[in-house]
Amino acid sequence: MALRGVELDHGQRRDWLRLFRAENVGPRAFLNLVNRFGGAAAALEALPGMARRGGRLIEPRIPSIAEAEAEMEALAHIGGRFIALGEPAYPVLLRQIEDAPPLIAVRGRPELMSAPVVGMVGSRNASGAGRTMAARLARGLGTAGWVIASGLARGIDTVAHEASLDTGTIAVLAGGHDRPYPRENERLLAAIAERGVVLTEMPMGWEPRSRDFPRRNRLVSGLSLGVVVVEAAERSGSLITARLAGEQGREVFAVPGSPLDPRAGGTNALIKQGAALVTDVSDVMSALAAFRERLPVIDADEEVSPPMEAPEPGDDMRARVIGLLGPTPLPVDDLVHMAGTSAAELQIVLLELELAGRLERHGGGRVSLL
């Protein structure tokens, strides 16, 4: 595993990309593999055998060296580059979330990601009042030195990006850099790529699907010290971002609205649940002032995590763990006790099942069998 603050060389970055794009390898599986085998190259060699022990009959799809090189070249062609977890340019706050992407594809001015960031989300079908409030907050926060992160969606996201173009904005995409959504924001996206930051964890050519938007939302909140929800209906995707922000230990803010307007139903509910009420820029700044002074510091001599040391699980252990799992999510800590094994040994079994496509990971350290 690379040391914090150390740049990967071209070959290492290519291996990281191949491993991250391999079938059934999500962010947590990636880190478990690299920690266990000491690097992406060794993990790539071990991956088929682990998937087979997890019950997979067909070898998982792993991109070839040529495919990884082609993706890296395509990103470079549009002025982008991959930044790896642990490298100096990787956002410090994003690195702290449990499912931080091992690689982010970035265009624009990555130095903006080192500034304090506030996420701003809201209704796609925003009211005039909501748009005005979003612009006022984004412009005021930007003037005060904050960078605004959002998801490039219609409505509040668009207004927040436009209002913070001159001071710093980050657009997080649900698809690849060459597949922005919605298409109507392509001109805005081009302006952000030139003056702000555009990032995604998805590959070039990836058309965003419904399940990709919550993945994007976790990055918006993960980049940010706090998230401001300007307008949101009671079943809005913006509420997913607010929930993720709370799970990540971020501050959640909400702008109140009329109880007669369904676009304010979600924000009013957030306030009832304890979100900080926002009517002015100062409400956000005063709540986040203490956090801004306590941004994590990169230690270039510290390893991201030590290698995973555990004996190879036996078939009886694998059978015991599979027997305990089911469709209902179960805390990993409980599994350790019920299986009568160590946490490290259990993680190997879970990793094998995940690589075989048989395990689903949930928030709060819970897992279930597919």
Side-chain angles (χ1 to χ4, degrees), residues 307-327:
M308 184 188 300
E309 296 182 2
E312 191 68 32
D315 291 339
D316 57 337
M317 174 58 65
R318 292 187 179 91
R320 190 152 65 246
V321 172
I322 293 171
L324 291 168
L325 286 168

Side-chain angles (χ1 to χ4, degrees), residues 10 60 111 128 134 177 183 243-244 323 336 345 356:
H10 180 83
E111 68 273 11
H177 275 284
R183 291 290 183 178
R243 175 180 59 79
L244 292 168
V336 171
E345 190 174 15

